[in-house]
Amino acid sequence: MGRLLALLFALIAGSYLAYLDQQLPESQPVSISPLEFSGERAFQDVNFMAAVPHPTGSVANANVRDAIVGKMLKYGLSPEVRPGVGVQVSKWTRNLVVAGHVENIVGIIPGRDRNAPALALMAHYDSVPGSPGAADDLMGVAVALETARAIQARGVPARDVVLLMTDGEEAGLLGANHFFQRDPLARRIGFVINLEARGSAGRVQMFQTSARNGELIRVFQETARRPSSGSLSVMLYELMPNDTDLTETLKAGIAGMNYAIIGRQFDYHSPTSTARNLARGSLQDMGDQALAMSRELAFASRLPEPAPSPVYSNLFGDTVIAYPAWFGWVILLVVAVLLAFAIRWARHSGEFPATDLARGAGAFAFAGVGTAAILEFARRLTGADFGYLEQRFLLAQVDRWEWAIMLTSLGFMMLTAAELSRTRRWVAFLPLAAGLGACALAGEIDWIGVVAGVVATAIGWFTFGRPVSRKGAWGGGLLFSFGLTVVLQAFAPQAAFVLAWPLLVAAVAAAATSLSAKRGVLSLVLLAVIAAAALGWQGGLSHSAFESMDLMPIFAVQMITAAMVLWPLAQPDWGRSPARIIGATVLLGGLALTLIVRSADPWTPRYPAITYVGYQMDQDTGRAWRFALPGVGRYWTDQVLKADGGTAQRVKQWWWGRPHDMAPAKPIAEPSPVIGLFREDGRDTLQLSVALPAEARTLELRVRSTTQAQLTGLNGAPLAQVLPAGQWVRVAWVTGGPPLQLALKPLGPGRLDVNYVAGFDRWPRAAIPLPARPADLMPWDDSDSTFVTGARAFTW
């Protein structure tokens, strides 16, 4: 019973430590010392600016721009609005160019040395259509403004501090692209701190840095307040498809770092991203982090120089551990000595066959790989498909789903430990059954579930079947973990600490208890305390992984690290023991909670389901359609589709990434874009000009030439995009404003086909109005808009 109580203590205490580590600071009042960050003062700015959605090119965005300029004037920052054109050639979508007119805002705190490389605080002030953008990224704007005020209160910094509020980030990093590629002020910047958000709550994470960040991390280690960061997150982010404005900074060869919150992602790019729903503690946390780092760099005699990147991570509180990558081998040497001592002493105190070590290693491998299959089944069991919009069903009940994952994975690991003391092999087939179940639920082959299930079952068949001693199982499992850590240290040393640190702690516990051979209260207390501390730290990593990626296999690593410290408490003695049912009970509880997630109706006025409807007018044929995104809220979207008596059909159009339902509608009169093709005087370059109607904000073009051509410029910005003969290339002009001027240089005579879609951020005035949405539904992105389509052709 003592071992069972120690296990329960470790689980409860570890969960509580992880919970405490995720708590947010109190938002500080305006009356706090002027040298400190006031979350309440920053919140006033967010509340004022986040009144309505304000995408790039909209009147609302111009109002936010003016509010920022006014605040900078109040602080004496001599603000400038610096217009330009941002251009991006998509690295994810073939033959797509995104561009737009942007208006960046720059304010400067003059430093003692105006020639020293400047520090820039960067955030973007535009939002996606349909979202007020309180978190993404008016929180970043407000933090930058309040940080600048606190820096000014301290005195004159050593260098200029530049506040850079970019425009057009949501459309494709357009403001940052223009600034760092074409604005001469960019040459004065030596370091950038970017402030972002991918949710509306949670601890602030420093998740990205420039390369060779050794000195930067040293400064971060010395100044950060309750930081949340690690070299693993920095490494993983570089492998992910995500981009922020810092992408353009790094592309320009300027050093920098990225801060963001990623909790409560339901509000990301959503109408629910309001000031009211923004966690003020997260705002304070970002301010504390940004001010600590920017104040240090602003008043430093020099900025951090490039140096070899260390391995690092936060522990609890303000503690950050960092060391050179080679030091990971020293840690592994210490682990090897401790494990050799522990296993030798354990065998001396009571023999166990060497095969127990092999079966223990197999059990750890089975627990890790099997967790991937079990959790893939649980993910499919929720009924939610993969993808950000599809995942919103889970984001609306995210706490319940996270608990389901945690209970399911921990339960499976503890069930594995319990069954290792018995002679039954049935547990070996659980991952295979889970993998096949995932396929059945998906209606197709779920490769993650199947591969993980087959591999885990093969491992389990050779692992289970005869009782294995606890000493041998734990020793073998730690040896298996040691081997994994060696591989990770060799090929990805920045990530090796995730295994190395809990392995070191587990090795200390193994040596202190002679691999759990010692009995008695002190031994159990030591194992429980060490396990609780390790689980508390690992819980923070697991929570971050859960928020970052909807990918179940990542929790396999977390289960192996949990097994390192929990195994001597989770594996019961031979014979009958109440501890045998703990794992199965927790596993079944996790799956039961998953079924509750599946059957729940999570949509409420706070967490409404998305709807998307639009009105399309083909200006060539004179036909019109109402269209809607299939999915939740069909009872409302069906009213919209049938308002003109038409029958909906599922279609897919070139300018929409998803299939949608379209029903014939009453034709309406809307202005058309003015499109022309002209030859530049005395040159072999053609100019495609598209002037949008006054109210239109967005333009999508699809162009195709019968002769190969080169797109060489867009509104004065250089462009290098091949226009292959006979192939379509898309150009998105996302900000309205001045006409689009696209320069192309053909190889010879030919014909240019142009398809266009112009978007108006309103429902047609002449159409039947939209019915009122129920409180548990909300418009998504540029829903409720009007789109006019057509085609033109030109020859030369």
Side-chain angles (χ1 to χ4, degrees):
M1 183 60 71
R3 197 169 296 275
L4 175 59
L5 292 176
L7 172 64
L8 295 176
F9 170 82
L11 292 173
I12 294 172
S15 299
Y16 184 64
L17 285 175
Y19 167 78
L20 288 180
D21 192 50
Q22 296 301 314
Q23 294 308 291
L24 298 173
E26 290 290 329
S27 182
Q28 296 301 312
V30 176
S31 58
I32 195 173
S33 165
L35 298 175
E36 298 299 324
F37 186 93
S38 168
E40 292 304 297
R41 184 184 289 110
F43 181 78
Q44 292 173 5
D45 292 336
V46 175
N47 193 45
F48 180 73
M49 293 185 288
V52 294
H54 48 282
T56 301
S58 65
V59 173
N61 202 45
N63 293 336
V64 173
R65 175 203 64 202
D66 293 344
I68 296 171
V69 169
K71 194 75 173 185
M72 287 186 177
L73 283 170
K74 179 181 177 181
Y75 289 159
L77 301 179
S78 303
E80 286 185 80
V81 177
R82 302 172 75 91
V85 174
V87 181
Q88 295 279 11
V89 176
S90 175
K91 60 183 179 181
W92 309 116
T93 303
R94 185 169 175 265
N95 291 340
L96 172 63
V97 178
V98 180
H101 177 78
V102 293
E103 295 184 320
N104 295 327
I105 310 168
V106 170
I108 299 177
I109 303 174
R112 292 190 299 273
D113 184 355
R114 302 301 305 276
N115 295 318
L119 167 69
L121 297 176
M122 181 167 65
H124 69 88
Y125 70 90
D126 63 302
S127 74
V128 295
S131 175
D136 183 18
D137 189 27
L138 291 179
M139 178 177 73
V141 171
V143 166
L145 290 168
E146 174 65 4
T147 299
R149 183 208 57 77
I151 289 175
Q152 285 179 306
R154 180 174 173 179
V156 179
R159 66 194 67 255
D160 285 1
V161 177
V162 176
L163 267 67
L164 172 59
M165 307 293 104
T166 64
D167 189 11
E169 191 271 355
E170 299 294 1
L173 318 182
L174 300 181
N177 172 267
H178 167 69
F179 183 84
F180 290 105
Q181 296 297 321
R182 287 173 287 282
D183 193 319
L185 181 61
R187 292 194 290 269
R188 294 183 51 198
I189 306 298
F191 193 89
V192 175
I193 295 176
N194 189 50
L195 307 171
E196 260 290 0
R198 196 184 169 190
S200 63
R203 291 286 311 282
V204 172
Q205 299 192 26
M206 197 282 284
F207 65 95
Q208 184 187 19
T209 72
S210 45
R212 293 178 56 80
N213 61 12
E215 279 201 18
L216 171 60
I217 296 305
R218 179 187 57 76
V219 177
F220 177 77
Q221 184 181 21
E222 294 171 353
T223 62
R225 300 169 64 175
R226 290 191 68 226
S228 178
S229 183
S231 51
L232 173 62
S233 62
V234 172
M235 184 191 78
L236 288 179
Y237 188 81
E238 296 303 318
L239 303 176
M240 296 172 67
N242 309 62
D243 285 317
T244 69
D245 277 344
L246 192 68
T247 303
E248 292 296 313
T249 304
L250 302 181
K251 192 185 301 182
I254 301 172
M257 60 199 308
N258 230 337
Y259 291 90
I261 58 171
I262 61 173
R264 209 187 290 159
Q265 289 188 34
F266 184 90
D267 296 327
Y268 179 56
H269 287 180
S270 169
T272 58
S273 183
T274 62
R276 179 179 181 180
N277 291 334
L278 174 64
R280 298 195 190 188
S282 295
L283 181 61
Q284 181 68 46
D285 193 23
M286 180 170 282
D288 290 342
Q289 301 287 346
L291 178 58
M293 193 68 185
S294 59
R295 184 164 50 198
E296 179 69 21
L297 298 181
F299 289 90
S301 59
R302 65 179 183 88
L303 294 173
E305 297 287 340
S309 297
V311 177
Y312 78 96
S313 180
N314 60 287
L315 287 181
F316 299 105
D318 295 339
T319 304
V320 176
I321 293 180
Y323 50 80
W326 59 262
F327 191 76
W329 294 111
V330 176
I331 294 176
L332 286 173
L333 177 61
V334 173
V335 169
V337 171
L338 291 172
L339 288 182
F341 170 80
I343 293 173
R344 179 180 178 85
W345 187 266
R347 296 200 71 187
H348 176 75
S349 62
E351 282 292 328
F352 59 84
T355 55
D356 278 8
L357 293 175
R359 290 179 181 271
F364 268 52
F366 174 80
V369 180
T371 294
I374 296 292
L375 288 183
E376 189 71 8
F377 169 75
R379 178 61 176 82
R380 294 291 187 182
L381 188 59
T382 65
D385 208 343
F386 290 88
Y388 180 64
L389 295 185
E390 294 78 5
Q391 188 191 7
R392 296 186 65 78
F393 174 77
L394 299 177
L395 296 178
Q397 44 184 332
V398 67
D399 292 339
R400 188 183 298 151
W401 173 228
E402 186 173 10
W403 271 103
I405 289 177
M406 183 179 72
L407 292 176
T408 301
S409 51
L410 277 174
F412 179 73
M413 185 272 292
M414 291 189 291
L415 174 65
T416 300
E419 288 301 315
L420 201 62
S421 295
R422 310 179 78 171
T423 59
R424 302 184 300 181
R425 273 198 172 116
W426 66 268
V427 70
F429 295 96
L430 275 182
L432 180 59
L436 296 176
C439 293
L441 291 168
E444 60 184 11
I445 296 179
D446 185 313
W447 289 106
I448 292 177
V450 167
V451 172
V454 169
V455 172
T457 295
I459 295 171
W461 177 260
F462 292 100
T463 298
F464 298 97
R466 79 163 185 81
V468 179
S469 67
R470 184 165 51 238
K471 294 182 292 184
W474 191 25
L478 293 182
L479 290 176
F480 169 79
S481 303
F482 179 81
L484 280 183
T485 310
V486 167
V487 172
L488 205 56
Q489 175 66 30
F491 294 100
Q494 305 300 320
F497 74 91
V498 174
L499 292 178
W501 294 7
L503 178 60
L504 176 62
V505 170
V508 170
T513 62
S514 299
L515 212 63
S516 80
K518 294 181 180 178
R519 296 180 178 272
V521 174
L522 288 180
S523 178
L524 290 178
V525 168
L526 177 64
L527 290 173
V529 170
I530 287 179
L535 289 177
W537 178 73
Q538 293 165 14
L541 295 181
S542 297
H543 180 67
S544 178
F546 171 79
E547 291 183 323
S548 301
M549 292 177 282
D550 183 21
L551 187 63
M552 296 301 103
I554 59 175
F555 293 97
V557 176
Q558 300 301 321
M559 281 309 98
I560 290 175
T561 58
M564 292 180 193
V565 292
L566 281 179
W567 199 276
L569 302 177
Q571 183 175 344
D573 295 319
W574 293 339
R576 299 182 61 85
S577 168
R580 295 196 183 283
I581 65 171
I582 293 295
T585 301
V586 174
L587 173 60
L588 291 175
L591 293 176
L593 191 55
T594 303
L595 287 174
I596 293 174
V597 169
R598 179 188 179 95
S599 61
D601 180 5
W603 311 122
T604 65
R606 171 60 183 91
Y607 296 101
I610 67 170
T611 56
Y612 187 103
V613 295
Y615 208 103
Q616 179 182 348
M617 179 68 201
D618 188 321
Q619 296 182 314
D620 293 336
T621 65
R623 300 176 62 190
W625 297 269
R626 293 166 175 261
F627 64 93
L629 185 68
V632 181
R634 288 305 304 266
Y635 61 92
W636 182 83
T637 56
D638 283 347
Q639 295 181 56
V640 177
L641 292 173
K642 297 175 181 178
D644 288 321
T647 301
Q649 293 183 340
R650 186 69 51 85
V651 298
K652 186 172 183 179
Q653 302 185 85
W654 67 266
W655 53 281
W656 245 67
R658 293 171 175 264
H660 49 282
D661 295 333
M662 293 185 69
K666 173 186 174 182
I668 55 170
E670 292 287 357
S672 304
V674 179
I675 306 177
L677 184 69
F678 312 97
R679 183 178 294 276
E680 295 185 3
D681 293 339
R683 302 177 63 185
D684 56 357
T685 300
L686 302 175
Q687 192 82 243
L688 178 66
S689 175
V690 185
L692 282 171
E695 289 188 88
R697 187 181 60 82
T698 62
L699 173 70
E700 283 265 355
L701 290 182
R702 185 170 68 156
V703 297
R704 179 180 62 187
S705 174
T706 57
T707 303
Q708 181 168 316
Q710 181 82 17
L711 301 181
T712 60
L714 196 154
N715 286 59
L719 176 62
Q721 171 68 42
V722 176
L723 185 58
Q727 295 186 27
W728 292 103
V729 171
R730 290 173 56 189
V731 179
W733 180 253
V734 296
T735 58
L740 168 67
Q741 304 286 345
L742 185 64
L744 63 152
K745 189 174 182 178
L747 295 181
R751 167 190 168 105
L752 185 71
D753 295 313
V754 181
N755 296 160
Y756 70 83
V757 182
F760 300 78
D761 293 337
R762 57 166 174 76
W763 192 250
R765 297 186 180 93
I768 298 172
L770 291 171
R773 278 184 175 84
D776 60 351
L777 296 180
M778 64 180 176
W780 184 257
D781 200 64
D782 58 354
S783 178
D784 306 6
S785 295
T786 304
F787 302 91
V788 296
T789 61
R792 300 287 188 273
F794 305 94
T795 58
W796 62 90

